[in-house]
Amino acid sequence: MRETSDGRLENSLTRRTAMQIGAIGAFGLSLEKLLASDDQASIKKSSGQSPKSCIFIHQYGGLSQLDSWDMKPAAPSEIRGPYQSIETATPGFQVCELMPELAKISEKYAVIRSMTHHMSQHDKANSMLLAGRSKPAEDDPSFGAMVSKLSPSLESIPAHVWLQKYGGGSAPPEHTYLTGGHLGMAYAPMLIGESHDDNPASNDFRVRAFDTDESVSLKRLEERWQLLQTLQSFPQSKTSSAFESLDIYQQQSFDLLHSSDAKSAFEINQEKPATRDRYGRNPLGQNLLLARRLIESGVRLVNVVAWTGLAAGEKFVSLETWDMHGNANVGIFENGWNGLPFALPRTDIAVAALLEDLSERGLLDSTLVVLIGEFGRTPVISKGAKRVGRDHWPQCYSAMVAGAGIQGGTVYGESDSRAAYVKSSPVTLEDFTATLFKAMNINPASRLSPNGFTIPASPGIPIAELL
């Protein structure tokens, strides 16, 4: 700062000075780079509708539609597979026998049997799913980043949390889901779960994002914060735009440091053992229980990678649970980490527990639950490199959606006799994502570009029959 000839204080902070202030702003917190906030006033929508939350479960690798939601019992054995169809609570709606718990509560969710696109490569298909676009740009934000921008949390807690990082050679690029894309890092998720065993099913699990630098006292942190606020109150006309981002990160980081409620939300050990057992003592089950705790505490969106863990004696290979080619020395119909008899019942128990728990707590009406992979699997069973499997198939696959006003007991769209191609009511990624936005009381046409006129959150059309 310097005084001008007329006595005014002029801001003469250089880029280097701004960088130094940024270093002050870090004040020893590991949270800062992870968290985001937004102007709280932006949550007030012209519609007057209450904001909703979402738990988005990624069946990384691609679930077989023929062995789950879209059984074909009349098809030849090389197509239908070994499993039987069972009735659900919804007349005329059948699912795989490996999903008895979800079959009992079919009135709580809807199934789409006509998802479709044309990309059979994991990383690219996952990037498409994350952005909700068939041809995403390199810097397109993920669905979670868009939600945290358009419907931020009002609590001293992150708007967007990601549980269990993608892993394996087929993972999407990290920038597609761990940053806010062109929206900026302010809308990046708080990541919990760097490795396959870094999840609440592990005995030594601990959320480290709340740790502070032991060499810096709380009093010192507060002094740094006060200094930063003083510096940021100066006129900004000649400073770097980094100040704006710093303020977003630092305000919520500082709030979280003093928020026992936020820290408590991540402490899954507070749950009764019976509740933890209900979800299943595996990575997916415990991550979904943690997701419920986070939603209950005010988080707007939680992404969960559906990693169901390892069978006894197995060595870790990849997080791609649902990529069931038979290439990982486990056949698609074998009882191992990469096989349906192991992974699907665990998912059935965990997702059913989540839906029932949300319902019992009065949260299902305000919480959207999504269960989907990046594509489906081939109709014809094939011999993989080592075991029997099904290969990638994006032309026709299934998804489950529940809560937030979704019409439960609904089956939307139809596949052909082999679940190979869409027979009626095709659903693109654009339409699917627009439906999710609509269910969350977010206008899909909301503009996300800096100019406020281009780049809608989603160019798709919501599926009216599901809402």
Side-chain angles (χ1 to χ4, degrees):
M1 302 296 292
R2 64 183 177 86
E3 189 173 0
T4 63
S5 58
D6 61 357
R8 290 182 296 104
L9 287 175
E10 182 177 85
N11 186 358
S12 60
L13 291 175
T14 64
R15 182 176 182 275
R16 179 179 177 184
T17 308
M19 293 292 286
Q20 290 171 339
I21 292 170
I24 293 171
F27 56 71
L29 282 179
S30 60
L31 284 167
E32 181 182 86
K33 65 181 180 180
L34 299 171
L35 303 179
S37 183
D38 197 7
D39 180 3
Q40 300 303 313
S42 68
I43 199 168
K44 296 179 180 178
K45 299 179 175 62
S46 58
S47 66
Q49 294 176 313
S50 299
K52 295 184 179 181
S53 301
C54 175
I55 298 174
F56 197 119
I57 310 165
H58 299 253
Q59 288 186 292
Y60 175 33
L63 171 68
S64 167
Q65 71 278 15
L66 286 128
D67 303 293
S68 57
W69 300 114
D70 197 5
M71 306 284 286
K72 299 296 180 181
S77 59
E78 66 272 17
I79 293 173
R80 69 172 184 265
Y83 302 122
Q84 301 297 312
S85 300
I86 58 173
E87 296 292 340
T88 69
T90 302
F93 174 31
Q94 296 182 330
V95 297
C96 178
E97 63 181 313
L98 297 179
M99 302 194 297
E101 300 306 314
L102 284 168
K104 295 173 187 174
I105 58 169
S106 59
E107 76 283 355
K108 295 187 183 301
Y109 59 82
V111 168
I112 300 171
R113 287 177 169 170
S114 53
M115 295 294 306
T116 184
H117 62 78
H118 300 288
M119 174 51 64
S120 59
Q121 188 174 323
H122 286 292
D123 55 348
K124 293 182 179 179
N126 272 306
S127 294
M128 291 160 55
L129 173 61
L130 288 161
R133 297 174 186 268
S134 301
K135 296 180 179 179
E138 184 73 14
D139 64 347
D140 273 347
S142 70
F143 177 71
M146 290 186 281
V147 167
S148 62
K149 165 70 174 177
L150 297 170
S151 184
S153 174
L154 292 178
E155 309 297 333
S156 293
I157 196 165
H160 183 196
V161 177
W162 188 284
L163 302 180
Q164 203 70 55
K165 185 180 179 182
Y166 277 117
S170 300
E174 290 190 4
H175 72 266
T176 61
Y177 69 105
L178 294 182
T179 76
H182 65 70
L183 296 178
M185 283 298 294
Y187 304 100
M190 179 180 185
L191 173 64
I192 305 295
E194 292 277 356
S195 60
H196 78 280
D197 54 357
D198 186 12
N199 62 71
S202 299
N203 293 330
D204 59 351
F205 174 74
R206 181 172 64 85
V207 176
R208 295 173 176 80
F210 291 87
D211 295 349
T212 59
D213 187 338
E214 293 180 359
S215 66
V216 184
S217 68
L218 182 59
K219 183 175 184 297
R220 183 59 176 153
L221 295 180
E222 290 175 344
E223 289 172 351
R224 291 184 182 184
W225 173 251
Q226 290 168 4
L227 174 60
L228 179 70
Q229 291 299 289
T230 300
L231 290 167
Q232 288 183 331
S233 68
F234 294 148
Q236 303 283 305
S237 58
K238 293 185 180 181
T239 64
S240 167
S241 60
F243 272 106
E244 220 173 297
S245 296
L246 280 171
D247 187 54
I248 292 174
Y249 297 136
Q250 292 159 347
Q251 178 65 59
Q252 197 168 30
S253 296
F254 193 76
D255 288 345
L256 279 167
L257 182 65
H258 292 79
S259 174
S260 59
D261 290 341
K263 186 174 183 179
S264 177
F266 290 89
E267 293 176 351
I268 195 171
N269 288 331
Q270 292 183 5
E271 294 289 338
K272 296 178 180 178
T275 302
R276 299 192 68 176
D277 291 342
R278 178 184 183 184
Y279 276 78
R281 298 278 186 154
N282 58 74
L284 177 59
Q286 298 305 291
N287 269 328
L288 289 185
L289 175 53
L290 179 55
R292 188 270 287 162
R293 289 182 61 84
L294 295 174
I295 292 295
E296 200 168 31
S297 299
V299 174
R300 190 66 70 222
L301 191 138
V302 183
N303 293 90
V304 183
V305 171
W307 159 243
T308 59
L310 298 170
E314 286 187 317
K315 293 183 178 180
F316 175 70
V317 177
S318 169
L319 281 169
E320 299 158 76
T321 299
W322 305 95
D323 189 27
M324 297 178 178
H325 292 277
N327 293 353
N329 211 28
V330 179
I332 187 173
F333 306 122
E334 294 180 23
N335 193 25
W337 75 273
N338 197 216
L340 285 167
F342 178 84
L344 196 51
R346 287 182 165 206
T347 303
D348 173 56
I349 290 168
V351 175
L354 174 66
L355 296 181
E356 292 181 301
D357 201 4
L358 289 170
S359 181
E360 291 163 5
R361 292 168 181 269
L363 294 170
L364 190 57
D365 288 342
S366 61
T367 306
L368 178 68
V369 178
V370 182
L371 180 66
I372 188 173
E374 64 266 37
F375 41 55
R377 314 303 296 184
T378 52
V380 177
I381 299 166
S382 62
K383 179 67 168 66
K386 299 179 180 179
R387 294 285 195 276
V388 167
R390 295 187 191 267
D391 298 321
H392 305 174
W393 192 259
Q395 284 82 357
C396 182
Y397 61 108
S398 301
M400 187 211 83
V401 286
I406 293 292
Q407 296 298 311
T410 302
V411 178
Y412 182 82
E414 185 181 5
S415 65
D416 63 15
S417 62
R418 294 155 45 100
Y421 298 98
V422 174
K423 183 177 180 181
S424 65
S425 305
V427 176
T428 65
L429 289 170
E430 286 82 356
D431 293 344
F432 181 72
T433 305
T435 304
L436 304 187
F437 277 124
K438 188 72 172 178
M440 294 186 70
N441 291 338
I442 297 173
N443 182 0
S446 299
R447 303 295 160 168
L448 292 172
S449 61
N451 63 22
F453 294 101
T454 56
I455 314 181
S458 174
I461 300 173
I463 304 170
E465 291 86 342
L466 295 180
L467 300 166

